[in-house]
Amino acid sequence: MLSDQEVNKKLYHKLEKLITEKRNPQSMGIDLASPLEIAEIINREDQKVAESVEQRLDVIAEVIELVSDAFQLGGRLLYFGAGTSGRLGILDAAECPPTFGSPPEQVQGFIAGGKEAMFVAQEGAEDDPENGIQAIDKAETAPPDVVCGLAASGRTPYVHGALNEAKKRGCKTVFVTTVPAEQIDIKVDYLIDVPVGPEVIMGSTRMKSATAQKMVLNMITTGAFVRQGKIYENVMVDLMLTNKKLVERAKRIITIFADVDYERAGQLLEASGGHVKTALLMALKNLNASDAKKLLSEHNGFVRKALLQIDSK
């Protein structure tokens, strides 16, 4: 068994090789830069992120379909990460219900150290793979759930523990990281490696690495929910009316697509029980709420498919 010093030294040398831990030659003078120069340096580096993500669109598309299929079978998308990566998973999960009208349990984020770690770093929580295993168990993870690990460095023990346990349980696994595939020593079903290069501030993966991960997660959940009929054209029509802003947005959506005024949009929304897609069909095809809901159900919630059926008659 290795001593603590030997274990620490092994980690030291592993970090030394990671691209996220390298010094960025483009920002070595940032400590003497003016505010404008600082902004310019960061902006130039950020522009490289989208190009790096573009190189992985094929596998991202596969994951979109994977998650959509899982949703169709009643499965969940579960994110596991530590630090910034964990917070990004929780953020993406939290935004899904108000945007897509999805149940809160359908997309969930888990962070090493628990809820407290969302706001205050819980030192050492990410270092034990057993914590990831326990998180998987607590979530009662099982197929058809999809487990997505998030780790900029690709090596976080908490995330590895979660992914390995998920695989044992027969779940499909996805890993989003910002180091190249050759630096990853865990086997997953789908690896989305987006090597964004050294950070502007060495090792500060809250910067380019976080931006890359956020872009990927946006694509996965947005893409999966588009495939679930949550969008009509390019408008979110399954939003939950949880505040006044969203109620007014719903009315605006109805007036955009249907030839009705503000007052009529409000009446349709009320008659539909606050369900925007139902109100849209009512407005566009002069249906009552019951018939509109039935038609949506027949087409798995796809507004466009429902409209096409009516138009084909």
Side-chain angles (χ1 to χ4, degrees):
M1 180 179 288
L2 296 175
S3 67
D4 287 346
Q5 185 176 2
E6 288 171 325
V7 170
N8 292 339
K9 201 169 184 179
K10 187 177 180 182
L11 175 58
Y12 174 88
H13 289 302
K14 192 168 187 177
L15 289 174
E16 194 177 33
K17 295 175 183 176
L18 291 177
I19 193 169
T20 53
E21 297 293 327
K22 300 289 186 184
R23 292 186 67 193
N24 191 326
Q26 305 303 317
S27 59
M28 287 187 179
I30 198 169
D31 57 334
L32 297 176
S34 69
L36 178 58
E37 290 168 335
I38 292 171
E40 288 173 341
I41 291 168
I42 294 173
N43 180 248
R44 281 196 297 268
E45 289 299 303
D46 283 347
Q47 289 177 38
K48 300 174 184 177
V49 176
E51 295 174 359
S52 297
V53 172
E54 184 180 14
Q55 302 306 308
R56 296 294 179 265
L57 293 183
D58 287 350
V59 66
I60 292 171
E62 291 176 6
V63 173
I64 287 172
E65 194 70 355
L66 170 75
V67 173
S68 176
D69 289 346
F71 287 167
Q72 200 66 33
L73 295 171
R76 304 170 294 173
L77 171 61
L78 306 177
Y79 294 126
F80 291 84
T84 300
S85 297
R87 294 181 188 103
L88 288 170
I90 291 173
L91 174 63
D92 192 64
E95 293 292 348
C96 288
T99 305
F100 302 111
S102 59
E105 63 273 11
Q106 193 167 32
V107 182
Q108 297 180 49
F110 299 85
I111 185 170
K115 292 181 180 179
E116 295 81 4
M118 187 69 185
F119 305 99
V120 180
Q122 303 295 304
E123 302 301 338
E126 67 179 68
D127 293 332
D128 190 350
E130 185 63 32
N131 291 336
I133 294 171
Q134 290 175 3
I136 286 284
D137 187 58
K138 189 174 181 180
E140 299 181 345
T141 310
D145 294 339
V146 175
V147 171
C148 180
L150 308 169
S153 68
R155 55 153 297 279
T156 309
Y158 170 86
V159 176
H160 281 215
L163 287 169
N164 285 328
E165 179 63 20
K167 204 161 184 64
K168 284 181 185 176
R169 293 173 178 233
C171 296
K172 293 295 184 183
T173 54
V174 180
F175 195 18
V176 181
T177 182
T178 52
V179 296
E182 56 266 25
Q183 293 188 350
I184 302 301
D185 57 6
I186 184 173
K187 297 293 183 184
V188 293
D189 295 301
Y190 299 87
L191 175 63
I192 304 176
D193 60 314
V194 186
V196 295
E199 296 286 1
V200 169
I201 306 301
M202 190 183 82
S204 182
T205 51
R206 58 179 283 275
M207 302 184 77
K208 288 194 298 182
S209 290
T211 301
Q213 290 178 87
K214 182 68 168 69
M215 291 175 74
V216 171
L217 301 192
N218 282 349
M219 291 180 187
I220 291 172
T221 45
T222 301
F225 281 118
V226 166
R227 300 284 288 171
Q228 292 297 301
K230 299 289 187 178
I231 305 297
Y232 175 47
E233 293 188 3
N234 64 346
V235 177
M236 50 183 183
V237 290
D238 226 353
L239 66 168
M240 295 174 67
L241 309 186
T242 54
N243 59 45
K244 291 181 180 179
K245 181 189 77 172
L246 293 175
V247 171
E248 295 309 312
R249 179 179 290 166
K251 293 176 185 175
R252 183 166 179 267
I253 288 169
I254 296 167
T255 60
I256 286 172
F257 287 112
D259 187 20
V260 297
D261 60 20
Y262 176 85
E263 285 71 23
R264 180 57 180 156
Q267 293 168 0
L268 287 163
L269 198 59
E270 185 175 351
S272 70
H275 193 242
V276 180
K277 290 196 288 188
T278 299
L280 267 178
L281 286 185
M282 293 169 66
L284 290 168
K285 297 301 177 182
N286 197 28
L287 300 174
N288 61 42
S290 178
D291 288 344
K293 287 178 180 178
K294 183 174 183 291
L295 192 59
L296 279 170
S297 179
E298 290 172 357
H299 292 281
N300 296 317
F302 279 83
V303 172
R304 194 187 288 266
K305 290 180 181 179
L307 290 172
L308 286 172
Q309 178 181 313
I310 295 173
D311 292 340
S312 66
K313 290 181 179 180

